[in-house]
Amino acid sequence: SVSAYPTCNSNLGKSSTNWPFLSSKMDGEVGYAETDIVPEDLKTNRACLCCSLIKTEDQFLRNGCENCEQWLEIAESYENVKEFTSANFKGMAAIMDSKGRDNHGSWVGSWLRLDGLKQGVYALSVTGRLPDEIIEKLKAAGSAAINRDRSTIAAT
């Protein structure tokens, strides 16, 4: 039988997996929930000011931020999308496994301080700052508010 997706065979003798690799399902089926976190186009991308996840404006409106929704309540709120995301960001990194060094996850995820976040495309630097009341809400919940804006760091 012929697969609808190309098959990737590893030279280490591991079993083949179906493409696209964005699905977390073991049988190779692609679910919409898994692929909806990836930006749909390059024109209206925004990055979350809290975790730096990049999605389109429409994706943030539909689903919010998969990492920060409980604090930011972005889904279905155009005002919150504009306030808690930024169209001004630099660089992109696709994180497929962000468990961190201790769990043998992505070293890039650890370096970007994205340990434990959902897989997706993340900005290397996001210009903007969360409002003080959101930072206080994060602190009260025991979560660190990491400044994702690296544009002001002087080059050495």
Side-chain angles (χ1 to χ4, degrees):
S1 73
V2 177
S3 173
Y5 300 107
T7 301
C8 175
N9 293 314
S10 171
N11 60 358
L12 298 176
K14 295 179 182 177
S15 63
S16 64
T17 56
N18 288 332
W19 185 88
F21 300 106
L22 299 174
S23 175
S24 62
K25 297 182 180 181
M26 295 304 291
D27 61 3
E29 291 181 15
V30 178
Y32 292 106
E34 289 88 1
T35 59
D36 199 42
I37 200 168
V38 178
E40 294 172 338
D41 68 41
L42 297 175
K43 295 179 183 177
T44 62
N45 285 344
R46 299 185 68 83
C48 176
L49 292 173
C50 189
C51 70
S52 74
L53 179 66
I54 299 172
K55 296 173 35 171
T56 64
E57 193 172 276
D58 287 341
Q59 287 174 300
F60 276 119
L61 274 171
R62 276 195 315 263
N63 303 318
C65 178
E66 282 74 6
N67 298 307
C68 311
E69 188 60 24
Q70 62 187 354
W71 299 291
L72 304 182
E73 300 173 351
I74 294 175
E76 300 179 12
S77 173
Y78 186 74
E79 293 82 22
N80 287 358
V81 169
K82 291 295 186 185
E83 185 175 6
F84 303 138
T85 67
S86 174
N88 191 1
F89 59 88
K90 293 183 181 178
M92 295 182 188
I95 304 297
M96 301 311 293
D97 182 8
S98 64
K99 293 178 188 171
R101 291 183 185 149
D102 296 338
N103 292 325
H104 308 292
S106 166
W107 69 267
V108 173
S110 295
W111 179 71
L112 292 172
R113 300 175 72 184
L114 301 172
D115 297 343
L117 299 182
K118 303 285 185 183
Q119 54 181 269
V121 180
Y122 290 85
L124 301 182
S125 175
V126 183
T127 302
R129 187 175 191 282
L130 286 169
D132 289 335
E133 61 268 12
I134 297 295
I135 293 172
E136 292 303 318
K137 189 191 274 190
L138 287 165
K139 286 180 183 176
S143 295
I146 299 170
N147 183 1
R148 303 288 180 181
D149 189 352
R150 297 184 179 169
S151 63
T152 58
I153 297 174
T156 56

